[in-house]
Amino acid sequence: MNILIVEDEKPAARRLTRMLEKIDLQVSAAVHSVKEAVEYLSSNTAPDLIFLDIQLSDGLSFEIFEHVQVDSAIIFTTAYDEYALKAFKLNSIDYLLKPIDAEELEQAVDKYKLRFRESDNSQSTVTNINPADLQQIAALLTNQTTSYKNRYTAKVGEHIKLFTADEIQLFYSENKGTYINLHNGRNYLIDSKLEHVETELDPKKFFRISRQAIVSIDSINDIVAYTNSRLKVKINSFDEFDLVVSRERVKEFKGWLEG
């Protein structure tokens, strides 16, 4: 099976590649943006199966279908919440929710293997996704969030403390836990994964600079050049580790700062 991964987070693409290798599947290529995907699909034989991240560094992956015809089976990968995923269920489009579970991945691949066999027996091709379905899903995903999560809780001993998003200058992950860092410098453990937190926040106010951190624009005191064309963000009262913008996110980060 010829497999293409379209995923803007390179570590996530490598992880998915390793997971597929464990079930004896080889990935032909991995690309990381709408532009790269269009270029690849325009100049190579269509893959049998594409694992397609929805939110790429240069736009929604649905934009790919506006530039090139895709005759491949597709499994979308997404960190969007269940509200948005209802659109996929209604349109019978397959998806895997991040972080991808190995068992769910294998089940999805088995489903497509079965579909391929049925297509071969009937001498037909895999049915393309209806463009109207994609437009409906894209509209939902881009317009669904008119309000964002504004309150987070943390358990401190026998007490539960409540914090607003305006009090939080940073969300970060460390030692398999997710923490908030407040303007007063205190850190609190919250019961949520960073991937999920990212989908809840107002993207105009918060930006995920790396796999490890999401920063508030109101908390940034300084930005300095760092190694390998990256940037380092400085925030008051935080010295757990260096806040470095991943190289593949630098361009988007600069745009967010001006946005």
Side-chain angles (χ1 to χ4, degrees):
M1 186 183 293
N2 180 9
I3 296 176
L4 172 67
I5 293 175
V6 183
E7 164 64 66
D8 65 340
E9 290 273 7
K10 292 183 180 180
R14 291 194 292 268
R15 178 176 181 270
L16 180 54
T17 297
R18 292 193 297 269
M19 293 174 73
L20 289 167
E21 288 174 347
K22 287 183 179 179
I23 54 176
D24 298 321
L25 293 174
Q26 295 297 316
V27 174
S28 301
V31 295
H32 310 291
S33 66
V34 171
K35 181 181 178 181
E36 288 181 15
V38 170
E39 291 175 350
Y40 181 89
L41 292 167
S42 299
S43 57
N44 292 274
T45 303
D48 299 311
L49 177 60
I50 301 174
F51 286 90
L52 187 60
D53 187 16
I54 291 176
Q55 183 68 60
L56 300 172
S57 58
D58 56 347
L60 290 176
S61 60
F62 303 125
E63 296 173 23
I64 295 168
F65 303 99
E66 298 173 5
H67 300 282
V68 62
Q69 181 176 336
V70 179
D71 297 318
S72 308
I74 295 172
I75 297 176
F76 287 97
T77 60
T78 175
Y80 282 99
D81 62 21
E82 285 296 326
Y83 173 76
L85 296 178
K86 287 180 181 178
F88 287 85
K89 295 173 184 177
L90 290 173
N91 291 284
S92 300
I93 295 176
D94 289 280
Y95 67 90
L96 290 170
L97 188 62
K98 295 181 179 180
I100 295 173
D101 177 79
E103 184 176 348
E104 292 179 356
L105 173 63
E106 189 166 3
Q107 290 173 354
V109 170
D110 288 342
K111 178 179 178 179
Y112 276 93
K113 284 181 178 179
L114 177 62
R115 185 177 297 182
F116 286 144
R117 287 197 295 269
E118 291 174 347
S119 297
D120 290 341
N121 292 337
S122 62
Q123 295 183 337
S124 64
T125 59
V126 176
T127 303
N128 289 335
I129 294 175
N130 187 338
D133 291 340
L134 293 176
Q135 291 175 6
Q136 179 183 346
I137 296 169
L140 177 62
L141 295 180
T142 53
N143 297 323
Q144 70 167 24
T145 314
T146 55
S147 62
Y148 301 93
K149 186 168 181 177
N150 190 50
R151 292 188 294 273
Y152 289 85
T153 59
K155 187 176 181 181
V156 181
E158 298 299 319
H159 302 274
I160 294 179
K161 288 185 172 290
L162 179 66
F163 306 100
T164 66
D166 290 338
E167 295 178 84
I168 301 169
Q169 61 179 2
L170 173 71
F171 294 83
Y172 67 96
S173 60
E174 193 170 46
N175 298 324
K176 299 183 179 180
T178 302
Y179 297 82
I180 56 175
N181 173 262
L182 305 182
H183 291 285
N184 62 16
R186 293 185 178 180
N187 301 315
Y188 294 93
L189 177 67
I190 63 173
D191 187 19
S192 187
K193 292 184 178 180
L194 202 63
E195 289 77 12
H196 186 65
V197 170
E198 183 182 10
T199 67
E200 300 173 330
L201 296 168
D202 184 347
K204 292 183 179 180
K205 295 182 178 179
F206 291 89
F207 186 89
R208 187 167 185 178
I209 61 171
S210 66
R211 293 181 65 193
Q212 196 175 7
I214 300 172
V215 300
S216 163
I217 194 163
D218 296 328
S219 303
I220 297 175
N221 292 322
D222 196 11
I223 303 168
V224 297
Y226 199 66
T227 58
N228 295 325
S229 302
R230 294 177 294 171
L231 298 172
K232 183 161 69 172
V233 175
K234 293 186 177 182
I235 288 178
N236 279 341
S237 306
F238 184 81
D239 55 8
E240 301 291 327
F241 53 85
D242 287 338
L243 295 171
V244 179
V245 182
S246 301
R247 185 167 54 183
E248 60 269 21
R249 288 179 172 263
V250 166
K251 183 177 180 181
E252 185 182 359
F253 176 71
K254 290 179 178 178
W256 174 73
L257 291 173
E258 297 173 353

